[in-house]
Amino acid sequence: MQSIVIKEVISPSELKTFVYLSEKLHENRPNWVPPIYADEWIFFDHKKNPAYEVADTILFLAYINNQPVGKIMGIIHREYNELQQTKEARFFHLDSIENIEVVKLLIDAVQSWAKNQQMETLVGPFGFSEKDPQGFQIEGFEHLPVIATATNPPYLPQFLEKLGFNKLTDCVVYKIDIPAEIPLFYQRIFDRAQRNPKIKLLNFTSKKELKPYVVPIFRLVNETYKDLLGFVPLSEAEMQKIAKAYLPILDPDFVKIIVDEKNEPIAFVVGLPDMSKGLKKARGRLFPFGFIHILLDARKNKQLDLLLGAVKPNYRGLGLTTLLGVSMIKAAQKRKMEFMDTHLVLETNHTMRGEAEKLNGEVYKKYRIFQKAIL
């Protein structure tokens, strides 16, 4: 039997190996989509990622014959644990060759580290927050993953089950065909909501118009996402970081914001033309020419990916979800798009699932977050 060696990532060269290992393992797998590596380097930069101020982390690599064959990140989110009064550790960035022993030893390394810090449960895949890719895909492998979702091979979740992990929760993704005509009952709700003098739907034609609203919508995220699994409120520094990172790739046509009489956001939805094929062609690298592949794919793609959305609690039930949804569908129709990917929806989020199913949406991907007691 080949000897498997687990090493903690210490040096810059080891971190580079960690970041690019999945590409080495899966580049020839048809449905593997690389991340945007520029974002990955920011994620791992303690000076640029404010999450490191409230979390402890560790990275491990697995080697066979001095060749890297697996990786894992351990996270103890001190702020989250304090808020939730829990002793939870997380694993993230787990990847490996098809060898359950490699996965076991990587998990054991994180579990031992977490146990030494008196943690009681190991949860994952889960990053610093729900804004990082969460869970392993367990269904719908015939479809390309979209940005900010897991892109794992089928064997990894199967290995976790064999190693004693069980389901914490599932997230589902709906595929919704964009109708040629807005259903009449939705159009009526849309028209009624638009007549409400206390609210206003904003449509944008430029990033310059959009920019002043980016941080305020993240403040709304803090207010509306507080009960979601793994959520930790964003600091102002994190809001600024995310705004700076994502404003360049946002398409103003697919950002819809509703404001109140004081011009404060009370609801929003953000979508993006799918860029998965472009990311594959670019191999996750924006420069020197990768961004061209990504932009060209986004322009001609017929799929719209919904990334983020929220409605302020005291404004729910007033048709704002329909107002946002119909305006997004109209924008998609104008761009001749054919269907929408809802991104991950918690299986227990019956409100969002109901909205998707009213539009004849079908679950076409499923992701699972696992848990296991630390013994």
Side-chain angles (χ1 to χ4, degrees):
M1 180 180 289
Q2 294 175 310
S3 177
I4 302 166
V5 177
I6 306 297
K7 293 182 180 179
E8 183 180 350
V9 172
I10 302 293
S11 69
S13 63
E14 290 169 336
L15 178 58
K16 184 177 181 180
T17 298
F18 189 100
V19 170
Y20 291 106
L21 181 59
S22 293
E23 176 176 275
K24 182 178 178 182
L25 299 180
H26 306 304
E27 191 170 30
N28 294 324
R29 188 163 62 84
N31 277 15
W32 182 75
V33 177
I36 297 175
Y37 284 113
D39 291 344
E40 290 293 280
W41 284 110
I42 291 172
F43 176 89
F44 287 108
D45 191 327
H46 289 229
K47 294 179 180 179
K48 294 181 179 180
N49 188 344
Y52 287 98
E53 297 172 10
V54 293
D56 299 321
T57 63
I58 197 165
L59 304 176
F60 292 105
L61 283 166
Y63 295 84
I64 295 177
N65 296 330
N66 292 320
Q67 294 299 311
V69 294
K71 66 177 183 176
I72 194 170
M73 180 181 195
I75 299 172
I76 296 174
H77 202 299
R78 301 188 307 276
E79 183 181 2
Y80 176 80
N81 284 355
E82 186 176 338
L83 286 169
Q84 300 296 325
Q85 292 296 293
T86 188
K87 293 183 177 181
E88 172 190 287
R90 303 171 181 178
F91 68 88
F92 192 46
H93 281 292
L94 173 60
D95 207 349
S96 168
I97 60 172
E98 193 170 354
N99 183 323
I100 192 170
E101 197 61 28
V102 171
V103 174
K104 179 184 183 301
L105 291 175
L106 287 167
I107 290 287
D108 286 349
V110 168
Q111 186 168 270
S112 178
W113 169 77
K115 187 175 181 178
N116 286 337
Q117 299 191 56
Q118 288 76 53
M119 297 298 106
E120 297 175 351
T121 308
L122 186 58
V123 171
F126 209 96
F128 289 119
S129 76
E130 83 298 332
K131 290 169 288 299
D132 297 318
Q134 29 180 318
F136 272 148
Q137 186 172 3
I138 58 172
E139 292 180 14
F141 288 98
E142 66 272 27
H143 305 290
L144 275 181
V146 304
I147 192 169
T149 61
T151 181
N152 58 279
Y155 58 78
L156 284 178
Q158 294 168 8
F159 286 172
L160 288 183
E161 290 177 353
K162 291 177 180 177
L163 292 171
F165 282 84
N166 55 55
K167 169 185 166 181
L168 174 60
T169 191
D170 282 352
C171 297
V172 296
V173 182
Y174 285 88
K175 179 180 179 181
I176 301 173
D177 291 331
I178 294 170
E181 300 288 338
I182 302 295
L184 184 58
F185 73 96
Y186 269 124
Q187 187 65 53
R188 287 171 177 166
I189 298 171
F190 177 86
D191 293 340
R192 185 170 66 246
Q194 272 206 311
R195 290 194 295 268
N196 186 336
K198 297 183 178 181
I199 64 171
K200 182 180 179 182
L201 172 67
L202 302 182
N203 293 294
F204 301 95
T205 58
S206 70
K207 292 175 185 177
K208 183 178 180 181
E209 292 176 343
L210 176 59
K211 186 176 180 180
Y213 293 95
V214 176
V215 170
I217 68 173
F218 282 120
R219 295 192 185 115
L220 181 57
V221 165
N222 273 356
E223 185 177 350
T224 56
Y225 280 40
K226 60 181 183 293
D227 296 324
L228 287 185
L229 177 71
F231 180 74
V232 177
L234 292 162
S235 66
E236 287 291 320
E238 287 176 305
M239 293 180 201
Q240 295 290 345
K241 178 185 78 74
I242 296 171
K244 185 178 179 180
Y246 285 98
L247 184 62
I249 66 170
L250 290 180
D251 187 323
D253 284 346
F254 299 118
V255 180
K256 307 297 179 184
I257 299 175
I258 301 172
V259 296
D260 61 13
E261 295 169 293
K262 298 179 181 179
N263 203 40
E264 291 291 332
I266 56 172
F268 76 95
V269 64
V270 176
L272 198 65
D274 186 69
M275 56 178 66
S276 298
K277 291 180 181 178
L279 273 171
K280 281 183 71 67
K281 288 180 182 177
R283 298 178 61 240
R285 294 152 174 88
L286 297 179
F287 302 104
F289 304 114
F291 70 95
I292 296 175
H293 294 300
I294 295 169
L295 289 175
L296 287 175
D297 184 36
R299 285 180 184 174
K300 66 184 181 182
N301 207 293
K302 301 299 182 184
Q303 174 179 329
L304 178 64
D305 299 334
L306 301 182
L307 300 181
L308 200 63
V311 177
K312 200 167 185 174
N314 56 322
Y315 283 89
R316 291 170 186 165
L318 300 178
L320 302 197
T321 302
T322 300
L323 187 56
L324 292 169
V326 169
S327 62
M328 188 67 87
I329 289 172
K330 289 183 176 181
Q333 289 172 333
K334 192 173 181 181
R335 294 273 284 269
K336 303 188 185 309
M337 303 190 107
E338 296 176 356
F339 68 93
M340 293 188 290
D341 176 299
T342 64
H343 207 69
L344 276 63
V345 180
L346 276 171
E347 62 179 350
T348 54
N349 189 340
H350 302 297
T351 301
M352 284 293 297
R353 297 192 68 175
E355 292 294 335
E357 287 164 12
K358 282 179 189 175
L359 288 167
N360 298 316
E362 294 185 357
V363 173
Y364 82 128
K365 298 177 191 171
K366 187 179 286 187
Y367 296 77
R368 179 161 294 169
I369 300 167
F370 293 86
Q371 65 178 354
K372 183 182 180 182
I374 296 175
L375 303 175

